[in-house]
Amino acid sequence: MPLSEHEQRMLEQMERALYAEDPKFATALEGSGLRTYTRRRVYQAAAGFLVGIALLMAGMVAKQIWISVVGFLVMLGCAVLVATGWRKAPKPGEQGAPGARRQVRQRRSMMDRIEQRWQRRRDEQGH
């Protein structure tokens, strides 16, 4: 749902006040700052994945299974961070919040469709 004109004006006033009060913080909240943060997080997780591989191999060489298990868990955690961080990164020229709102709306509508289908099936079966 788009914002009304009054709400947009209020939002612009709040943005200007934020820039006037703390320009450094305001720039950190922009899309490019978020993109840089997300990219850095993805690179750190990729490095952690490599550390997990090293631990896995070290555990195999030392014949210590617990080191290998720790290495595997580190790899798994870092792989999840890379996958979620990469998906959430805003595209160049796009700010983080509006795109996120659009995705939430799309997911919600998809969930609504799934719930409607489920309800139809239950009604057809007579439950």
Side-chain angles (χ1 to χ4, degrees):
M1 170 186 270
L3 297 175
S4 69
E5 289 181 31
H6 175 69
E7 291 170 333
Q8 282 194 342
R9 272 187 269 128
M10 293 291 290
L11 182 62
E12 288 171 3
Q13 287 176 355
M14 291 187 324
E15 286 176 351
R16 278 184 288 207
L18 179 64
Y19 275 106
E21 189 175 311
D22 194 357
K24 189 174 181 180
F25 178 68
T27 0
L29 291 179
E30 288 180 346
S32 62
L34 179 62
R35 188 174 56 248
T36 304
Y37 167 77
T38 306
R39 187 178 302 138
R40 185 179 316 126
R41 182 174 158 217
V42 167
Y43 290 148
Q44 289 172 347
F49 187 84
L50 294 176
V51 168
I53 290 175
L55 283 172
L56 183 73
M57 294 298 194
M60 291 171 63
V61 169
K63 295 185 180 177
Q64 296 291 324
I65 200 157
W66 66 272
I67 295 175
S68 296
V69 170
V70 169
F72 176 76
L73 292 176
V74 168
M75 287 171 48
L76 183 64
C78 289
V80 168
L81 283 176
V82 167
T84 58
W86 201 260
R87 252 194 345 234
K88 291 179 182 178
K91 309 288 184 279
E94 174 183 289
Q95 290 185 358
R101 287 181 190 155
R102 232 178 286 126
Q103 286 179 350
V104 168
R105 239 184 269 135
Q106 288 173 351
R107 285 186 190 146
R108 186 175 297 150
S109 65
M110 183 185 75
M111 289 303 294
D112 289 340
R113 287 191 311 247
I114 290 172
E115 287 176 6
Q116 288 172 355
R117 289 178 189 163
W118 178 257
Q119 192 64 34
R120 255 186 278 140
R121 287 181 188 155
R122 290 189 64 197
D123 290 344
E124 288 172 0
Q125 292 176 354
H127 289 170

